[in-house]
Structures are given as C-alpha cells and as structure tokens.
C-alpha cells in the first residue's frame, strides 16, 4: 500500500529529480540505470531498473515508482516491472533512496510503445447531406439526435444547433471577437466549448444555448478537441497529450499519450467518443486514429483520403475536421473546415 507521507515527500522533491538531490545545491550521489541501457519498450516486455551507487554509500531502502504508483519498497537497489496495461508514451521511473539519514529523489525517462500495429481502415459513403460552406468546423457532436457544431476563426466563431439532414441552422450563438472557437462536447444537458489560445472554455445551457459559465485550462495551454465518456472529458491541445478532465469541475486530472508500436502522436484535433474508444483526426491529415482511452494505445487508423475531393472546391476550402457519432442510430458522420457536405460513412477494415 502506498505510503501517503512518503509520496508527499517524493512529490515535494520532484523539482530536483532531474539529477536527484536533497537540496537545490547538492547533486545526488545516486542515479538510475536500465538493463542494457535500453530506454524504449513495448507492452509485454519487462523493464528492469537499478540504483547506481558509485560512492558506495550505505543504503537503507529504496522506493521505486512508475506513474506515481509504488512498484517496490525494500532494501533492494533494483526493481522490475512487467509491462501489461501501463499508460504509453514518455514515462518516468522514479526512486526515493533512503541513505544515511537523508532522502534522494532520482528518475530516469523511458518510452513505452504498444505491442501491436494499428488496424487499418477505410470508409464507404452511405449518405451525403448539405453543410454550411462558411462553417470553419472545429467541433461536432450529436446529443439526443440533434447535431451541435462549434466553428472557429477570430470574429467568426460560433456555436450552432443544426438539422443535419437539411443543413439548416436552427439556432446560432456568435462568440465574442476575442475568441477562436474550438472543440465541443455535451454532458448532462450542458454544452462545453473550447477556445483556442484564450485558455478558457465556455459553458451553455442546452435548452436555449445561453452561456451559463466558463472554465479555465490548467496545465494545457491551448484548446483543440473535446469529447466525453458520460463521466469524464477528454481534451486535446496539439501536444502529445490528451488530457482527462473532471466531468464536474473540468480540472485536468491526468492524461494519456496516443501511441503506436513505434511513435507518439501529436497534432490530434477533433475528438469523438465512439463505443468506448476515442476517435481523433490529425490536423492537416486525412487520417483518424482510434485510441484506447485507458492507456493511449492507437489501435486503429482510418484513411479518409479522397473525401475532401468530393466537396465543392473553393479558395477557403480547408482540411478534414469534424467527427460525430449518433449513439442512438450507431451512425458516424464526418465533415471538414468550410466543406459544403456532411458525410455519413461506414468504417471498413482493410
């Protein structure tokens, strides 16, 4: 069982653990090493770490942590971890070394990749519907069979309630010129809309689209995509992280890093929750990643190449961006920035 006092001490020392220290002035006599100096691993492999003690100081005990979870605490100076379902991406192995009445905090970085290649998918167009060509689509989501959309650009951002079959805008709220609208998600009859560089999200009542509040970003600097699983929100910010937000307070509580068998993805934009997975399109690309929300594993890739060619070509035409899933009909819809069409698609495994 994790000792809360030891963990608190460990957290207080995190500012010093780049090299390990008891104070800001003294470099630690200890460091961590990995077997065979290997720093990249896949799920299914065993990670082995040991404390290096070149000055042969007397060590009372060592506590090893991965993802802030205690691996082992004993008088041993090494530990091993069988990688099964840990979070992927850039991670740290940390250790608290108790020696001669002092405590040193040290760490070493590792990369954890998935052990399976992503499945590859293509698409089939089932139906085509009209879409406002002037809508710079940033977020798209069904809620109780109604489609809601967030659009971007300074001075032209909006929140919309639409009839997706006709393309009619049933209600529209224009954002203040200082906001650049981004992703949106609906939970418990409230709409949550991100803004890009303003560090702020907006909250609306679903009944009349009146703004009822706002929320601040914490560690993430930008707002890109937003979705929810019915309890928690998932937020992208252009980095390698998808932040996991408290469903009530919107506080960023943790994150995952979308990762394949060999790379960590960035630039993930619009997000959609579909049957227990996060679907995320990559900005400026025609691909959509299917992500395991528990550990960040990219389990599938959908190639939407050619879809943009099927809309009216014009000077303001921009990239694929907009995924919406209607859980009542089990249908998936996609569109893009300034596209004049919304497509119902079937995802097909290649």
């Amino acid at each position: 069982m994790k000792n809360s006092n030891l963990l608190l001490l460990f957290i207080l020392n995190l500012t010093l653990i780049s090299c390990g220290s008891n104070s800001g002035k003294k470099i630690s006599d200890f460091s961590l090493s990995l077997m065979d100096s290997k720093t990249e691993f896949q799920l299914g492999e065993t990670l082995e770490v040991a404390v290096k003690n070149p000055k042969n100081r007397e060590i009372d005990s060592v506590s090893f942590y991965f993802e802030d979870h205690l691996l082992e605490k004993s008088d041993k100076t090494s530990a091993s971890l069988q990688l099964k379902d840990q979070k992927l991406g850039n991670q740290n192995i940390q250790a608290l070394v108790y020696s001669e009445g002092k405590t040193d905090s040290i760490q070493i970085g590792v990369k954890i990749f998935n052990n399976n290649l992503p499945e590859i998918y293509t698409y089939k167009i089932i139906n085509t519907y009209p879409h406002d060509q002037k809508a710079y689509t940033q977020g798209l989501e069904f809620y109780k069979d109604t489609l809601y959309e967030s659009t971007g650009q300074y001075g032209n951002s909006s929140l919309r309630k639409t009839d997706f079959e006709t393309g009619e805008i049933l209600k529209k709220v224009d954002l203040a010129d200082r906001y650049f609208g981004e992703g949106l998600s609906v939970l418990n009859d409230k709409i949550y809309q991100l803004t890009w560089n303003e560090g702020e999200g907006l909250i609306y009542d679903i009944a009349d689209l009146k703004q009822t509040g706002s929320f601040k970003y914490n560690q993430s600097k930008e707002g890109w995509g937003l979705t929810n699983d019915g309890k928690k929100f998932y937020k992208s910010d252009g980095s390698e992280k998808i932040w996991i937000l408290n469903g009530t307070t919107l506080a960023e509580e943790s994150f995952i890093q979308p990762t394949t068998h060999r790379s960590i993805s960035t630039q993930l934009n619009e997000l959609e929750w579909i049957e227990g997975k996060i679907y995320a399109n990559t900005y400026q690309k025609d691909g959509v990643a299917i992500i395991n929300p528990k550990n960040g594993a990219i389990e599938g890739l959908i190639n939407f190449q050619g879809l943009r060619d099927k809309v009216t070509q014009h000077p303001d035409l921009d990239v694929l961006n907009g995924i919406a899933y209607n859980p009542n009909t089990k249908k998936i819809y996609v569109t893009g920035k300034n596209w004049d069409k919304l497509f119902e698609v079937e995802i097909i495994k290649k």
Side-chain angles (χ1 to χ4, degrees):
M1 189 176 191
K2 186 182 295 185
N3 185 305
S4 59
N5 291 329
L6 291 177
L7 181 58
L8 177 59
L9 176 62
F10 172 71
I11 293 171
L12 290 174
N13 279 296
L14 279 180
T15 56
L16 311 174
I17 59 180
S18 60
C19 54
S21 178
N22 295 315
S23 70
K25 299 179 180 179
K26 182 180 180 299
I27 296 175
S28 176
D29 292 332
F30 305 106
S31 63
L32 290 176
S33 66
L34 296 160
M35 180 172 286
D36 301 324
S37 299
K38 181 178 180 180
T39 59
E40 295 186 356
F41 300 85
Q42 288 187 335
L43 295 182
E45 295 184 323
T46 299
L47 183 157
E48 298 186 28
V49 62
V51 174
K52 295 178 68 175
N53 183 13
K55 294 187 177 182
N56 295 315
R57 285 176 53 183
E58 182 178 347
I59 296 177
D60 299 319
S61 65
V62 181
S63 297
F64 291 94
Y65 295 84
F66 181 82
E67 299 177 14
D68 294 337
H69 299 295
L70 181 65
L71 296 179
E72 187 172 348
K73 181 189 177 185
S74 69
D75 57 1
K76 296 180 181 179
T77 58
S78 63
S80 63
L81 173 64
Q82 179 73 34
L83 297 171
K84 296 180 180 179
D85 53 6
Q86 286 79 12
K87 287 184 178 180
L88 305 180
N90 295 303
Q91 304 292 346
N92 289 313
I93 304 292
Q94 300 109 354
L96 291 179
V97 183
Y98 306 94
S99 169
E100 301 172 1
K102 297 179 180 179
T103 304
D104 281 36
S105 302
I106 53 178
Q107 75 172 4
I108 191 168
V110 295
K111 291 181 185 291
I112 311 296
F113 297 106
N114 198 19
N115 55 341
N116 294 315
L117 279 69
E119 298 282 359
I120 304 301
Y121 298 87
T122 185
Y123 66 96
K124 176 182 178 182
I125 298 175
I126 304 300
N127 282 304
T128 302
Y129 301 100
H131 180 255
D132 181 8
Q133 184 173 294
K134 296 181 180 180
Y136 192 80
T137 304
Q138 299 287 72
L140 204 64
E141 186 164 303
F142 276 96
Y143 187 70
K144 297 181 179 179
D145 294 320
T146 299
L147 185 62
Y148 295 86
E149 182 171 8
S150 171
T151 69
Q153 301 289 22
Y154 287 112
N156 201 35
S157 293
S158 67
L159 170 65
R160 304 172 178 210
K161 177 180 179 180
T162 70
D163 182 330
F164 78 94
E165 292 182 316
T166 66
E168 180 186 0
I169 302 170
L170 303 176
K171 191 171 183 62
K172 178 184 176 186
V173 175
D174 293 321
L175 273 63
D177 289 351
R178 68 180 183 277
Y179 291 126
F180 191 116
E182 286 282 348
L184 69 76
S185 195
V186 188
L187 182 63
N188 297 329
D189 293 329
K190 293 181 180 179
I191 301 173
Y192 298 82
Q193 182 183 30
L194 300 179
T195 63
W196 180 27
N197 279 321
E198 291 68 55
E200 182 181 6
L202 310 177
I203 306 172
Y204 306 84
D205 186 275
I206 194 77
D208 53 16
L209 302 193
K210 288 186 177 180
Q211 186 178 343
T212 59
S214 62
F215 60 96
K216 297 293 185 181
Y217 305 159
N218 304 137
Q219 299 176 71
S220 63
K221 292 182 173 60
E222 297 183 358
W224 285 41
L226 190 68
T227 191
N228 76 82
D229 62 4
K231 295 181 179 179
K232 303 182 296 293
F233 288 99
Y234 299 82
K235 173 183 178 292
S236 62
D237 63 358
S239 73
E240 75 281 2
K241 297 175 181 178
I242 291 181
W243 296 90
I244 302 174
L245 280 57
N246 184 289
T248 302
T249 67
L250 282 296
E252 296 163 359
E253 296 181 332
S254 61
F255 60 84
I256 55 173
Q257 300 171 68
T259 304
T260 68
H261 59 296
R262 64 182 183 185
S263 64
I264 304 169
S265 295
T266 61
Q267 301 286 298
L268 294 176
N269 203 3
E270 217 267 313
L271 307 179
E272 185 75 7
W273 185 267
I274 302 179
E275 301 297 327
K277 306 293 181 182
I278 299 171
Y279 284 53
N281 80 278
T282 303
Y283 183 56
Q284 298 288 354
K285 303 292 184 182
D286 293 319
V288 168
I290 303 173
I291 303 165
N292 184 327
K294 295 181 179 179
N295 66 357
I298 295 179
E299 299 178 342
L301 293 170
I302 309 170
N303 184 357
F304 279 107
Q305 189 173 7
L307 194 60
R308 180 175 171 176
D309 298 333
K310 301 183 183 300
V311 304
T312 299
Q313 306 298 297
H314 60 93
D316 294 328
L317 184 67
D318 214 318
V319 296
L320 173 79
N321 197 57
I323 314 164
Y325 176 67
N326 188 333
N328 294 327
T329 63
K330 310 295 185 184
K331 294 179 179 180
I332 298 175
Y333 302 81
V334 295
T335 189
K337 301 171 187 289
N338 301 125
W339 289 20
D340 65 351
K341 294 181 177 65
L342 172 76
F343 299 96
E344 178 193 336
V345 296
E346 177 184 349
I347 307 304
I348 303 169
K349 186 176 178 180
K350 291 192 72 173

